[in-house]
Amino acid sequence: MNLELSTLTVPPDFLTVGDLGEAQFAAALDLAEAMKHAPAGWLDALPAETLACFFEKPSTRTRVSFAAAAHRLGMLPLVLRPDELQLGRGETVADTARTLAGFCAAIVIRTFAQATVEELAAHSNVPVINALTDDHHPCQALADFLTLREVFGHLEGLKLAYIGDSDNVARSLMEAGALSGVEVVVASPPAYQAEAAARRELLDFVARHHGHAGVVEDPHEAVAGAHAVYTDVWVSMGAEADAERRRRELAPYQVTAGLMAAARPDAVFMHCLPAHRGEEMTAEVIDGPASVVWQQAANRLPTEQAIVHALITGGWSRP
Protein backbone atom coordinates (compact mmCIF):
# COMPACT_ATOMS: atom_id res chain seq x y z
CA MET A 1 0.00 0.00 0.00
CA ASN A 2 1.13 3.55 -0.75
CA LEU A 3 2.50 4.88 2.56
CA GLU A 4 1.17 8.38 1.92
CA LEU A 5 -2.33 7.05 1.24
CA SER A 6 -2.19 4.80 4.30
CA THR A 7 -1.81 7.85 6.56
CA LEU A 8 -4.41 10.00 4.76
CA THR A 9 -7.58 10.29 6.82
CA VAL A 10 -11.08 9.62 5.52
CA PRO A 11 -13.99 11.78 6.71
CA PRO A 12 -16.75 9.99 8.64
CA ASP A 13 -19.37 11.18 6.12
CA PHE A 14 -19.50 12.81 2.67
CA LEU A 15 -22.12 15.53 2.98
CA THR A 16 -20.36 18.27 0.99
CA VAL A 17 -17.25 18.45 -1.16
CA GLY A 18 -15.80 20.53 1.66
CA ASP A 19 -15.69 17.42 3.87
CA LEU A 20 -12.56 16.52 1.90
CA GLY A 21 -9.20 18.26 1.90
CA GLU A 22 -6.99 18.80 -1.14
CA ALA A 23 -5.13 15.51 -0.73
CA GLN A 24 -8.33 13.57 -0.03
CA PHE A 25 -10.01 15.04 -3.10
CA ALA A 26 -7.08 13.98 -5.29
CA ALA A 27 -7.02 10.53 -3.65
CA ALA A 28 -10.73 10.08 -4.38
CA LEU A 29 -10.16 10.85 -8.07
CA ASP A 30 -7.13 8.54 -8.21
CA LEU A 31 -9.08 5.68 -6.65
CA ALA A 32 -12.02 6.33 -8.99
CA GLU A 33 -9.70 6.24 -11.99
CA ALA A 34 -8.26 2.90 -10.85
CA MET A 35 -11.74 1.49 -10.32
CA LYS A 36 -12.90 2.71 -13.73
CA HIS A 37 -10.07 0.87 -15.46
CA ALA A 38 -10.62 -2.35 -13.45
CA PRO A 39 -14.41 -2.76 -13.14
CA ALA A 40 -14.10 -6.22 -11.61
CA GLY A 41 -11.07 -5.44 -9.48
CA TRP A 42 -12.96 -4.70 -6.25
CA LEU A 43 -15.69 -7.35 -6.33
CA ASP A 44 -14.32 -8.91 -3.14
CA ALA A 45 -13.84 -5.60 -1.30
CA LEU A 46 -17.04 -5.52 0.80
CA PRO A 47 -18.72 -8.92 0.56
CA ALA A 48 -21.96 -9.50 2.49
CA GLU A 49 -22.34 -5.75 3.18
CA THR A 50 -25.42 -3.68 2.34
CA LEU A 51 -25.65 -0.12 1.00
CA ALA A 52 -28.92 1.62 1.90
CA CYS A 53 -29.96 4.12 -0.79
CA PHE A 54 -32.79 6.37 0.37
CA PHE A 55 -34.39 8.45 -2.40
CA GLU A 56 -36.94 11.19 -1.66
CA LYS A 57 -36.37 12.64 -5.16
CA PRO A 58 -36.69 10.88 -8.52
CA SER A 59 -33.41 9.77 -10.00
CA THR A 60 -31.88 8.11 -13.06
CA ARG A 61 -28.11 8.56 -12.91
CA THR A 62 -27.77 8.60 -9.11
CA ARG A 63 -29.93 5.56 -8.51
CA VAL A 64 -28.37 3.38 -11.21
CA SER A 65 -24.77 4.49 -10.58
CA PHE A 66 -24.91 3.84 -6.82
CA ALA A 67 -26.51 0.43 -7.38
CA ALA A 68 -23.82 -0.45 -9.91
CA ALA A 69 -21.07 0.91 -7.64
CA ALA A 70 -22.30 -1.22 -4.74
CA HIS A 71 -22.40 -4.30 -6.96
CA ARG A 72 -18.80 -3.70 -8.08
CA LEU A 73 -17.78 -3.69 -4.41
CA GLY A 74 -19.55 -6.97 -3.70
CA MET A 75 -22.34 -5.19 -1.79
CA LEU A 76 -26.13 -5.46 -1.88
CA PRO A 77 -27.65 -2.11 -2.95
CA LEU A 78 -30.99 -1.59 -1.23
CA VAL A 79 -33.00 1.23 -2.82
CA LEU A 80 -35.66 2.72 -0.52
CA ARG A 81 -38.47 5.28 -0.91
CA PRO A 82 -40.26 7.20 1.86
CA ASP A 83 -43.52 5.32 1.26
CA GLU A 84 -41.66 2.05 1.83
CA LEU A 85 -40.35 3.07 5.25
CA GLN A 86 -41.91 3.99 8.58
CA LEU A 87 -40.34 7.40 7.96
CA GLY A 88 -43.33 8.02 5.70
CA ARG A 89 -45.63 7.34 8.68
CA GLY A 90 -43.93 9.67 11.15
CA GLU A 91 -40.85 7.80 12.39
CA THR A 92 -38.10 10.33 13.01
CA VAL A 93 -35.00 10.78 10.87
CA ALA A 94 -32.90 10.01 13.95
CA ASP A 95 -34.64 6.70 14.60
CA THR A 96 -34.42 5.80 10.92
CA ALA A 97 -30.68 6.51 10.95
CA ARG A 98 -30.10 4.31 14.00
CA THR A 99 -32.15 1.49 12.48
CA LEU A 100 -30.52 1.53 9.04
CA ALA A 101 -27.07 1.69 10.63
CA GLY A 102 -27.80 -1.62 12.35
CA PHE A 103 -28.29 -3.32 8.99
CA CYS A 104 -26.09 -1.45 6.53
CA ALA A 105 -22.45 -0.47 6.11
CA ALA A 106 -23.33 2.97 4.74
CA ILE A 107 -26.35 5.11 3.90
CA VAL A 108 -26.83 7.10 0.70
CA ILE A 109 -29.54 9.79 0.75
CA ARG A 110 -31.03 11.94 -2.01
CA THR A 111 -33.42 14.48 -0.51
CA PHE A 112 -34.42 18.14 -0.38
CA ALA A 113 -33.08 19.77 2.80
CA GLN A 114 -29.40 19.65 3.69
CA ALA A 115 -30.52 19.61 7.32
CA THR A 116 -32.09 16.17 6.77
CA VAL A 117 -28.77 14.76 5.60
CA GLU A 118 -26.96 16.35 8.52
CA GLU A 119 -29.50 14.95 11.01
CA LEU A 120 -29.20 11.48 9.48
CA ALA A 121 -25.40 11.63 9.78
CA ALA A 122 -25.57 12.90 13.36
CA HIS A 123 -27.52 9.82 14.48
CA SER A 124 -25.87 7.15 12.31
CA ASN A 125 -22.77 5.24 13.33
CA VAL A 126 -22.08 4.28 9.71
CA PRO A 127 -21.05 6.70 6.93
CA VAL A 128 -23.70 8.86 5.28
CA ILE A 129 -23.28 10.03 1.68
CA ASN A 130 -25.13 13.01 0.24
CA ALA A 131 -26.44 11.97 -3.18
CA LEU A 132 -28.08 15.40 -3.67
CA THR A 133 -29.83 18.09 -1.65
CA ASP A 134 -31.11 21.53 -2.53
CA ASP A 135 -27.80 22.98 -1.27
CA HIS A 136 -25.11 20.54 -2.43
CA HIS A 137 -24.40 17.88 -5.06
CA PRO A 138 -20.94 16.58 -4.05
CA CYS A 139 -21.07 13.27 -5.94
CA GLN A 140 -21.76 15.11 -9.18
CA ALA A 141 -18.79 17.41 -8.63
CA LEU A 142 -16.43 14.45 -8.15
CA ALA A 143 -17.58 12.95 -11.46
CA ASP A 144 -17.22 16.33 -13.16
CA PHE A 145 -13.66 16.84 -11.99
CA LEU A 146 -12.65 13.29 -12.94
CA THR A 147 -14.01 14.12 -16.40
CA LEU A 148 -12.02 17.35 -16.59
CA ARG A 149 -8.86 15.52 -15.55
CA GLU A 150 -9.44 12.87 -18.22
CA VAL A 151 -10.02 15.48 -20.92
CA PHE A 152 -7.17 17.87 -20.10
CA GLY A 153 -4.74 15.55 -18.30
CA HIS A 154 -4.65 17.79 -15.20
CA LEU A 155 -6.80 20.08 -13.07
CA GLU A 156 -4.44 22.75 -11.76
CA GLY A 157 -4.80 25.95 -13.77
CA LEU A 158 -8.07 25.10 -15.54
CA LYS A 159 -11.02 27.50 -15.60
CA LEU A 160 -14.66 26.38 -15.42
CA ALA A 161 -17.51 28.76 -16.18
CA TYR A 162 -20.91 27.89 -14.73
CA ILE A 163 -23.82 29.65 -16.44
CA GLY A 164 -27.36 30.01 -15.09
CA ASP A 165 -29.02 29.45 -11.72
CA SER A 166 -26.41 29.41 -8.94
CA ASP A 167 -27.72 26.19 -7.45
CA ASN A 168 -26.47 23.15 -5.55
CA VAL A 169 -24.29 22.04 -8.46
CA ALA A 170 -22.62 25.45 -8.72
CA ARG A 171 -21.80 25.44 -5.01
CA SER A 172 -20.26 21.96 -5.13
CA LEU A 173 -18.25 22.90 -8.23
CA MET A 174 -16.82 25.94 -6.46
CA GLU A 175 -15.77 23.82 -3.49
CA ALA A 176 -14.21 21.22 -5.80
CA GLY A 177 -12.37 23.93 -7.69
CA ALA A 178 -10.89 25.28 -4.47
CA LEU A 179 -9.54 21.81 -3.59
CA SER A 180 -8.03 21.13 -7.01
CA GLY A 181 -6.69 24.40 -8.35
CA VAL A 182 -9.52 24.98 -10.83
CA GLU A 183 -10.89 28.51 -11.11
CA VAL A 184 -14.71 28.46 -11.06
CA VAL A 185 -16.64 31.53 -12.18
CA VAL A 186 -20.43 31.53 -11.85
CA ALA A 187 -22.56 33.80 -14.06
CA SER A 188 -26.10 34.31 -12.78
CA PRO A 189 -28.71 37.07 -12.67
CA PRO A 190 -28.61 38.79 -9.27
CA ALA A 191 -31.87 37.15 -8.16
CA TYR A 192 -30.43 33.70 -8.91
CA GLN A 193 -27.16 34.13 -7.07
CA ALA A 194 -26.65 32.58 -3.65
CA GLU A 195 -27.76 34.70 -0.72
CA ALA A 196 -25.10 37.03 0.62
CA ALA A 197 -24.28 34.94 3.71
CA ALA A 198 -24.05 31.70 1.75
CA ARG A 199 -21.93 33.32 -0.95
CA ARG A 200 -19.59 34.84 1.63
CA GLU A 201 -19.21 31.47 3.35
CA LEU A 202 -18.45 29.78 0.02
CA LEU A 203 -15.91 32.38 -1.05
CA ASP A 204 -14.29 32.17 2.39
CA PHE A 205 -13.91 28.40 1.86
CA VAL A 206 -12.28 29.06 -1.51
CA ALA A 207 -9.91 31.61 0.01
CA ARG A 208 -8.88 29.27 2.85
CA HIS A 209 -7.78 26.75 0.24
CA HIS A 210 -6.02 29.43 -1.82
CA GLY A 211 -8.44 28.88 -4.69
CA HIS A 212 -9.88 31.23 -7.27
CA ALA A 213 -13.59 31.77 -7.79
CA GLY A 214 -15.99 34.51 -8.66
CA VAL A 215 -19.63 35.41 -9.20
CA VAL A 216 -20.59 37.72 -12.09
CA GLU A 217 -23.70 38.68 -14.05
CA ASP A 218 -22.32 38.60 -17.59
CA PRO A 219 -22.01 35.08 -19.06
CA HIS A 220 -19.50 36.28 -21.66
CA GLU A 221 -17.27 37.57 -18.87
CA ALA A 222 -17.47 34.20 -17.16
CA VAL A 223 -16.59 32.09 -20.23
CA ALA A 224 -13.62 34.21 -21.34
CA GLY A 225 -10.61 31.86 -21.24
CA ALA A 226 -12.70 28.98 -19.88
CA HIS A 227 -11.68 25.37 -20.49
CA ALA A 228 -15.21 24.19 -19.62
CA VAL A 229 -18.66 25.76 -19.86
CA TYR A 230 -21.21 24.20 -17.51
CA THR A 231 -24.95 24.65 -17.06
CA ASP A 232 -27.90 23.03 -15.30
CA VAL A 233 -31.67 22.97 -15.71
CA TRP A 234 -33.54 26.21 -15.13
CA VAL A 235 -36.47 24.53 -13.37
CA SER A 236 -35.29 22.14 -10.68
CA MET A 237 -37.44 19.67 -8.77
CA GLY A 238 -39.65 21.66 -6.43
CA ALA A 239 -39.54 24.86 -8.54
CA GLU A 240 -42.18 23.87 -11.11
CA ALA A 241 -44.63 26.54 -9.93
CA ASP A 242 -42.19 29.25 -11.05
CA ALA A 243 -41.26 27.55 -14.32
CA GLU A 244 -42.38 30.25 -16.76
CA ARG A 245 -40.84 33.09 -14.77
CA ARG A 246 -37.55 31.22 -14.43
CA ARG A 247 -37.41 30.44 -18.15
CA ARG A 248 -38.03 34.08 -18.97
CA GLU A 249 -35.46 35.49 -16.55
CA LEU A 250 -32.76 32.93 -17.37
CA ALA A 251 -33.19 33.08 -21.15
CA PRO A 252 -30.16 35.42 -21.58
CA TYR A 253 -28.05 32.70 -19.91
CA GLN A 254 -28.72 29.99 -22.48
CA VAL A 255 -25.50 28.28 -23.57
CA THR A 256 -25.36 28.65 -27.34
CA ALA A 257 -22.71 27.97 -29.96
CA GLY A 258 -21.94 31.67 -29.83
CA LEU A 259 -21.30 31.61 -26.10
CA MET A 260 -19.15 28.49 -26.46
CA ALA A 261 -17.13 30.32 -29.12
CA ALA A 262 -16.29 33.00 -26.54
CA ALA A 263 -14.48 30.38 -24.43
CA ARG A 264 -11.20 28.69 -25.34
CA PRO A 265 -11.09 26.88 -28.71
CA ASP A 266 -10.67 23.55 -26.89
CA ALA A 267 -13.42 24.24 -24.33
CA VAL A 268 -15.81 21.43 -23.45
CA PHE A 269 -19.50 21.65 -22.62
CA MET A 270 -20.72 20.10 -19.35
CA HIS A 271 -24.15 19.42 -17.85
CA CYS A 272 -25.18 17.31 -14.85
CA LEU A 273 -28.36 16.10 -16.62
CA PRO A 274 -31.24 15.73 -17.19
CA ALA A 275 -31.11 18.38 -19.93
CA HIS A 276 -33.79 20.41 -21.65
CA ARG A 277 -32.72 21.27 -25.19
CA GLY A 278 -33.89 24.71 -26.18
CA GLU A 279 -33.83 25.98 -22.61
CA GLU A 280 -30.52 26.08 -20.68
CA MET A 281 -28.57 25.11 -23.82
CA THR A 282 -29.22 24.51 -27.49
CA ALA A 283 -29.28 21.05 -29.04
CA GLU A 284 -26.32 22.14 -31.16
CA VAL A 285 -24.20 22.50 -28.03
CA ILE A 286 -25.15 19.43 -26.01
CA ASP A 287 -25.12 17.15 -29.05
CA GLY A 288 -22.02 18.73 -30.58
CA PRO A 289 -18.37 17.63 -30.55
CA ALA A 290 -17.44 19.72 -27.50
CA SER A 291 -20.01 17.99 -25.27
CA VAL A 292 -18.69 15.62 -22.58
CA VAL A 293 -21.98 15.17 -20.75
CA TRP A 294 -22.15 11.41 -21.28
CA GLN A 295 -18.60 11.01 -20.01
CA GLN A 296 -19.65 12.98 -16.91
CA ALA A 297 -22.65 10.71 -16.40
CA ALA A 298 -20.57 7.55 -16.76
CA ASN A 299 -18.04 8.88 -14.26
CA ARG A 300 -20.68 8.97 -11.54
CA LEU A 301 -20.16 5.22 -11.13
CA PRO A 302 -16.41 5.02 -10.35
CA THR A 303 -16.37 8.20 -8.25
CA GLU A 304 -19.26 6.97 -6.10
CA GLN A 305 -17.65 3.55 -5.89
CA ALA A 306 -14.48 5.21 -4.62
CA ILE A 307 -16.32 7.26 -1.99
CA VAL A 308 -18.35 4.28 -0.73
CA HIS A 309 -15.22 2.12 -0.50
CA ALA A 310 -13.13 4.79 1.23
CA LEU A 311 -15.75 5.75 3.82
CA ILE A 312 -16.53 2.16 4.78
CA THR A 313 -12.95 0.84 4.82
CA GLY A 314 -11.34 4.00 6.14
CA GLY A 315 -8.70 4.12 3.41
CA TRP A 316 -8.09 5.48 -0.08
CA SER A 317 -6.61 2.31 -1.59
CA ARG A 318 -7.06 -1.44 -1.44
CA PRO A 319 -5.65 -2.74 1.88
Side-chain angles (χ1 to χ4, degrees):
M1 180 189 297
N2 183 300
L3 182 60
E4 183 178 347
L5 286 179
S6 69
T7 60
L8 188 60
T9 60
V10 176
D13 305 292
F14 186 54
L15 310 186
T16 72
V17 173
D19 288 335
L20 304 177
E22 292 95 333
Q24 294 166 322
F25 188 84
L29 296 187
D30 289 345
L31 181 56
E33 183 178 20
M35 288 175 162
K36 182 175 181 176
H37 292 297
W42 275 262
L43 288 174
D44 62 344
L46 294 166
E49 297 289 4
T50 300
L51 182 69
C53 301
F54 177 61
F55 288 84
E56 277 196 301
K57 287 187 173 185
S59 171
T60 299
R61 281 149 293 277
T62 303
R63 178 169 179 161
V64 176
S65 59
F66 265 109
H71 172 71
R72 290 189 180 183
L73 292 169
M75 304 181 74
L76 169 68
L78 187 60
V79 179
L80 306 164
R81 300 191 311 268
D83 62 315
E84 297 176 320
L85 302 177
Q86 295 297 334
L87 188 64
R89 298 181 62 246
E91 185 168 30
T92 67
V93 171
D95 287 352
T96 301
R98 296 183 185 104
T99 300
L100 291 178
F103 306 135
C104 305
I107 304 169
V108 174
I109 177 170
R110 178 181 173 93
T111 188
F112 293 89
Q114 183 72 17
T116 301
V117 176
E118 293 170 356
E119 183 179 3
L120 192 74
H123 295 280
S124 170
N125 60 6
V126 300
V128 172
I129 298 169
N130 179 3
L132 176 139
T133 64
D134 291 343
D135 293 338
H136 294 274
H137 201 351
C139 293
Q140 180 65 52
L142 276 180
D144 296 336
F145 277 64
L146 178 61
T147 303
L148 286 173
R149 199 171 75 166
E150 289 174 339
V151 171
F152 294 101
H154 62 93
L155 290 174
E156 182 75 33
L158 298 182
K159 178 183 177 182
L160 183 150
Y162 179 93
I163 311 299
D165 185 9
S166 183
D167 59 6
N168 51 359
V169 173
R171 287 190 279 275
S172 290
L173 290 172
M174 290 181 78
E175 290 184 347
L179 297 179
S180 61
V182 175
E183 179 184 5
V184 178
V185 178
V186 174
S188 298
Y192 290 82
Q193 295 175 8
E195 294 182 359
R199 183 168 53 181
R200 185 164 53 250
E201 181 180 355
L202 185 55
L203 292 177
D204 285 347
F205 175 88
V206 173
R208 287 198 305 274
H209 291 275
H210 309 289
H212 299 279
V215 179
V216 299
E217 292 185 41
D218 184 359
H220 284 84
E221 178 183 350
V223 304
H227 297 79
V229 179
Y230 199 124
T231 193
D232 193 4
V233 296
W234 290 345
V235 184
S236 298
M237 286 177 280
E240 290 83 2
D242 293 328
E244 289 308 313
R245 177 182 61 81
R246 294 176 69 85
R247 291 187 182 105
R248 182 176 61 254
E249 294 175 350
L250 287 165
Y253 290 80
Q254 183 183 68
V255 179
T256 63
L259 187 63
M260 288 295 299
R264 289 171 53 96
D266 59 347
V268 297
F269 172 73
M270 307 183 79
H271 194 303
C272 57
L273 302 178
H276 296 85
R277 291 165 176 80
E279 291 189 14
E280 68 269 14
M281 82 279 116
T282 62
E284 179 184 13
V285 169
I286 191 171
D287 298 321
S291 176
V292 295
V293 299
W294 312 116
Q295 187 174 348
Q296 288 174 261
N299 279 337
R300 290 290 299 277
L301 197 168
T303 47
E304 289 164 1
Q305 183 183 357
I307 285 294
V308 171
H309 181 274
L311 265 62
I312 294 174
T313 66
W316 295 103
S317 63
R318 180 186 288 276

